[in-house]
Amino acid sequence: MKITPVKTPGLVQRMLPDVRWAFDRDKPVVYLTFDDGPMPEITPWVLDQLDQFNAKATFFCVGSQVMAHPDIYNSILEKEHAVGNHTHNHLRGWTSRDDDYLLDVETASALIKSKLFRPPYGQIRISQINKLKKLDYHIIMWSVLSKDWDLRISPEQCEQNVIDHVTAGDIVVFHDSLKASRNLRHALPGTLKFLSEKGFEFKRIPELTR
């Protein structure tokens, strides 16, 4: 059984220096991110939770989901959260030809006006990174995984995964998906409350320049 670490090891981060793993470590700021939506059963609830804590976040959206739920996507933008490209069909970079992968990213870009990009499953080849960089995409990974998609863990453990590991500047991954919703509905409010009480601010990932 493959075990994915909650905190991304420094060695892994050093192996892929051309992608973003975190931000400034000297400021009490956390960057919450949500993958795979928008999803009508969970994304509006996420937006409400963020509103309660005056928190901003970044939603890495799947193009086909944006096409299916444009009203929810527009709600994300209206609430001044950031959005990013998560491909059109949630492709795995490791098993996709580069041309097919880039075409899928560009298909999503017709709907998602952002140069922030996160590869589904975190799977991306060096060749794909280099080609996306030439198209001015900024690849955003993460430093903390909530593991909310993993139904083998409890909602309480999902929350602890974040609050036990998060530090200033971390990029945290949650999922606004049906699969993750059981864990997310417990972990997100708890995370927002705990980190707010610790003096953290929740910011959206900015559109980056090279």
Side-chain angles (χ1 to χ4, degrees):
M1 179 177 65
K2 180 181 178 182
I3 299 176
T4 305
V6 171
K7 191 83 172 184
T8 305
L11 176 61
V12 173
Q13 297 185 36
R14 291 191 293 274
M15 288 172 63
L16 292 173
D18 290 331
V19 306
R20 177 74 73 161
W21 297 96
F23 285 89
D24 292 340
R25 293 297 196 180
D26 60 347
K27 298 177 181 177
V29 174
V30 172
Y31 298 85
L32 300 181
T33 66
F34 298 87
D35 290 2
D36 299 353
M39 188 76 67
E41 295 86 351
I42 191 68
T43 307
W45 177 85
V46 170
L47 293 173
D48 288 343
Q49 296 300 308
L50 295 172
D51 280 348
Q52 291 181 35
F53 290 87
N54 194 30
K56 296 303 178 187
T58 304
F59 291 77
F60 286 93
C61 299
V62 175
S64 60
Q65 288 295 109
V66 174
M67 184 178 291
H69 309 293
D71 53 335
I72 303 174
Y73 177 75
N74 287 333
S75 293
I76 295 170
L77 297 175
E78 288 166 2
K79 290 179 177 291
E80 299 183 340
H81 299 290
V83 294
N85 189 321
H86 200 46
T87 74
H88 193 71
N89 293 297
H90 208 250
L91 295 188
R92 294 179 182 267
W94 294 350
T95 57
S96 301
R97 293 175 54 235
D98 286 4
D99 288 348
D100 294 338
Y101 194 73
L102 265 65
L103 177 60
D104 205 64
V105 173
E106 289 292 86
T107 300
S109 74
L111 300 164
I112 303 164
K113 304 302 182 183
S114 172
K115 286 297 185 180
L116 302 177
F117 176 76
R118 173 173 286 160
Y121 312 100
Q123 295 184 7
I124 191 167
R125 297 189 184 127
I126 298 296
S127 58
Q128 293 163 348
I129 290 174
N130 291 334
K131 289 175 181 178
L132 286 168
K133 283 176 62 181
K134 289 180 180 179
L135 296 173
D136 294 325
Y137 284 98
H138 299 272
I139 299 165
I140 309 297
M141 298 297 262
W142 57 79
S143 41
V144 175
L145 275 175
S146 69
K147 296 193 176 185
D148 53 357
W149 77 89
D150 189 346
L151 300 182
R152 295 170 299 180
I153 69 170
S154 68
E156 291 77 16
Q157 181 59 55
C158 180
E159 180 183 340
Q160 291 301 129
N161 283 345
V162 180
I163 65 177
D164 286 351
H165 293 89
V166 73
T167 56
D170 274 334
I171 299 171
V172 181
V173 178
F174 287 109
H175 292 78
D176 53 332
S177 68
L178 287 178
K179 184 177 182 180
S181 62
R182 183 201 69 171
N183 286 338
L184 181 67
R185 286 183 182 275
H186 175 86
L188 181 58
T191 295
L192 288 165
K193 182 177 185 294
F194 178 85
L195 293 179
S196 293
E197 291 173 350
K198 292 293 184 181
F200 282 91
E201 184 178 0
F202 304 97
K203 287 188 177 182
R204 48 182 277 166
I205 294 174
E207 289 288 346
L208 303 170
T209 56
R210 302 210 181 275

